[in-house]
Amino acid sequence: MIPSLVAALASLLGVALGVYLPRRFDQRFAARARYDAALTAACKLQAARNGISPDVKEQFTRAMSPEEHARILQDLAVDSVKRFLQAAVDARTTLAELHPYSPDLKKYWDKFEITPDELEELIVILTERRKRPLKRHRLKSIASGGGAPTPG
């Protein structure tokens, strides 16, 4: 009787682990993919902010008329601004998708612009949190003993 009970419990445990572990690994994979997407978007935003200036080397503009040169510089400037604005939208969107895991990141995505200092801080935070993607990062409440809410 006892060996059959042990065998039944072992098989029940095996079934439970067989259902739980793959689901947990899938959740971790999905969460890590969201952190990767947010990290990539933040790096693209940083690159767009510090990227190529609308400068054209003189050697490329010798054969151009002043009007053509001015038009090319204007096109480059417009393209640069478009890339920056799209990168900002992408960064805010991917950060918002992290809300179930890191609601404290709302301070970055719930505003018009992420400043350069905040962007560097954000990249460090995302890199660190990617290591444990399923950990929930909440704001410490004022009632729990802290003064102002801080990320925790």
Side-chain angles (χ1 to χ4, degrees), residues 43-56:
C43 290
K44 283 183 179 180
L45 177 59
Q46 189 174 41
R49 180 183 306 249
N50 302 326
I52 301 171
S53 67
D55 232 1
V56 179

Side-chain angles (χ1 to χ4, degrees), residues 32-46:
R32 185 167 285 139
R34 286 184 178 177
Y35 276 105
D36 287 344
L39 188 56
T40 300
C43 290
K44 283 183 179 180
L45 177 59
Q46 189 174 41

Side-chain angles (χ1 to χ4, degrees), residues 74-141:
Q74 183 179 7
D75 289 347
L76 286 172
V78 168
D79 288 345
S80 177
V81 169
K82 285 180 182 178
R83 276 192 309 274
F84 173 74
L85 291 175
Q86 186 59 51
V89 167
D90 293 345
R92 291 175 61 208
T93 301
T94 57
L95 288 172
E97 290 173 356
L98 283 173
H99 190 267
Y101 308 102
S102 295
D104 60 323
L105 295 180
K106 184 176 182 179
K107 73 178 189 175
Y108 298 105
W109 62 263
D110 196 24
K111 61 183 184 173
F112 179 72
E113 182 182 9
I114 302 172
T115 66
D117 290 338
E118 289 175 331
L119 195 54
E120 289 182 21
E121 173 184 308
L122 177 62
I123 289 171
V124 169
I125 290 170
L126 291 172
T127 302
E128 195 60 36
R129 289 186 182 179
R130 185 192 176 280
K131 295 174 185 172
R132 295 186 60 205
L134 294 178
K135 181 178 178 191
R136 303 287 193 242
H137 301 277
R138 305 253 182 240
L139 290 174
K140 292 181 183 174
S141 68

